[in-house]
Amino acid sequence: MRAAVGIWRWRRNPLRRATDLCEAWLALVAALLIVTAAPAVGWVTGALTEESLRQAIRVQRLQRHATTATVLGPAEFPRPTAFDPETAAADGRRRAVAAKWTAPDGSRHSGTVPTTLPAPRPGDTFPLWTDGSGRMVPRPMDTATAEVHAALAGVGAALAWGLLVECARRLVLWRLVRRRHAALDRAWAAVGPDWGRTGAGS
């Protein structure tokens, strides 16, 4: 946005139109809204997002428990019905094993689970996250990840605010230009028939 370019429209001169002054004020207000409000919107959004994620982390840490699983032998992941590049890339770094583990409530479980052990053998152990009944769940989100997500949310909100203000400025400017063209058409309709005629006019 070229806000500074429109400052000359404030100067008094016989060619300045009312829409020129409106356009200059519009550019100034839009620039101030972007410079002052966008950081505030980003900060508030980031802070609210971080607080929400921290609350989610606290809930996850209460509901998810770390336990130790013991490898029973090799296994295979069920084949997905549709190809997912992210899942395929993740599966390439993990190995499926048949394992057993004990839930926080004392119940014993077994099944096919992923592990990052480079060469899992029967009897090897690895950490596993479960819920209270022993079902496997993802590990809780860590604080660093929450901060990164909050920062990205803040930046996104600030950019979205700037885009919203710029779109609003362009919409108002479009209406000003249409009004300017309509006024020009009316003026031309009034003087056009007499244009170039000797003695025409006042």
Side-chain angles (χ1 to χ4, degrees):
M1 184 176 56
R2 298 175 299 177
V5 177
I7 294 179
W8 68 272
R9 299 176 186 272
W10 277 304
R11 295 182 305 176
R12 293 185 177 276
N13 64 80
L15 298 179
R16 189 187 71 182
R17 299 159 294 193
T19 54
D20 291 332
L21 189 59
C22 290
E23 186 176 340
W25 278 108
L26 176 64
L28 178 61
V29 171
L32 291 176
L33 285 176
I34 291 177
V35 172
T36 60
V41 170
W43 183 84
V44 171
T45 302
L48 293 177
T49 302
E50 184 175 3
E51 177 58 30
S52 177
L53 291 176
R54 287 182 181 274
Q55 177 64 25
I57 290 175
R58 288 191 287 269
V59 173
Q60 289 178 0
R61 288 178 176 173
L62 291 175
Q63 296 177 344
R64 303 179 186 184
H65 310 275
T67 186
T68 300
T70 303
V71 177
L72 299 176
E76 292 184 0
F77 284 123
R79 292 187 177 274
T81 56
F83 178 75
D84 185 352
E86 294 184 2
T87 303
D91 289 346
R93 297 188 298 268
R94 298 181 300 175
R95 290 173 173 79
V97 296
K100 63 179 181 179
W101 63 92
T102 302
D105 60 4
S107 59
R108 297 182 180 277
H109 299 264
S110 62
T112 300
V113 296
T115 179
T116 55
L117 293 174
R121 293 176 296 182
D124 290 345
T125 59
F126 59 94
L128 186 70
W129 287 89
T130 68
D131 59 12
S133 61
R135 291 177 297 183
M136 187 179 64
V137 293
R139 66 176 299 169
M141 181 185 297
D142 56 85
T143 305
T145 302
E147 291 175 352
V148 170
H149 284 299
L152 292 177
V155 171
L159 293 177
W161 172 264
L163 180 62
L164 178 64
V165 172
E166 176 62 12
C167 289
R169 185 191 74 86
R170 288 180 179 272
L171 178 61
V172 176
L173 181 61
W174 174 72
R175 294 181 64 87
L176 286 175
V177 171
R178 287 194 61 183
R179 181 179 300 180
R180 182 185 302 163
H181 289 172
L184 182 62
D185 290 341
R186 289 193 298 269
W188 179 253
V191 302
D194 295 331
W195 185 262
R197 293 172 55 185
T198 303
S202 57

